[in-house]
Amino acid sequence: MKRERCWVWFRGGLNERPHWVGGFYASTDDQDGILIQHASYRDCRVPAWRVTQQEPSDPHVSPEIPDNAVWQLF
């Protein structure tokens, strides 16, 4: 299992724009998606399109979000 620092895309809330959040660690294994971990959030598995290892130049520019995108895997 490989573990790397990463940024995760969040869709925002009522008073918050969609944005990238740093400080996560991403791990991959034989299961679908990427396991993300952060001290302030619970561990969860998300699709790869929500994660990047490169720091975004603009925290509000979204990734390519697939049609009918799944946001969290269980």
Side-chain angles (χ1 to χ4, degrees):
M1 185 181 310
K2 187 175 181 183
R3 187 171 182 216
E4 297 180 287
R5 291 185 61 83
C6 69
W7 287 261
V8 177
W9 179 251
F10 283 82
R11 61 177 137 186
L14 294 174
N15 299 313
E16 189 176 52
R17 294 173 51 193
H19 61 284
W20 290 100
V21 177
F24 282 87
Y25 284 93
S27 303
T28 56
D29 55 20
D30 59 344
Q31 295 182 26
D32 290 339
I34 297 174
L35 176 66
I36 55 172
Q37 298 173 303
H38 189 286
S40 299
Y41 299 88
R42 70 175 180 88
D43 296 358
C44 75
R45 190 168 295 277
V46 299
W49 66 264
R50 284 190 61 193
V51 179
T52 183
Q53 279 72 38
Q54 302 295 323
E55 181 174 3
S57 58
D58 183 342
H60 298 289
V61 173
S62 71
E64 272 195 45
I65 300 174
D67 293 335
N68 300 320
V70 173
W71 285 77
Q72 181 177 349
L73 305 172
F74 297 98

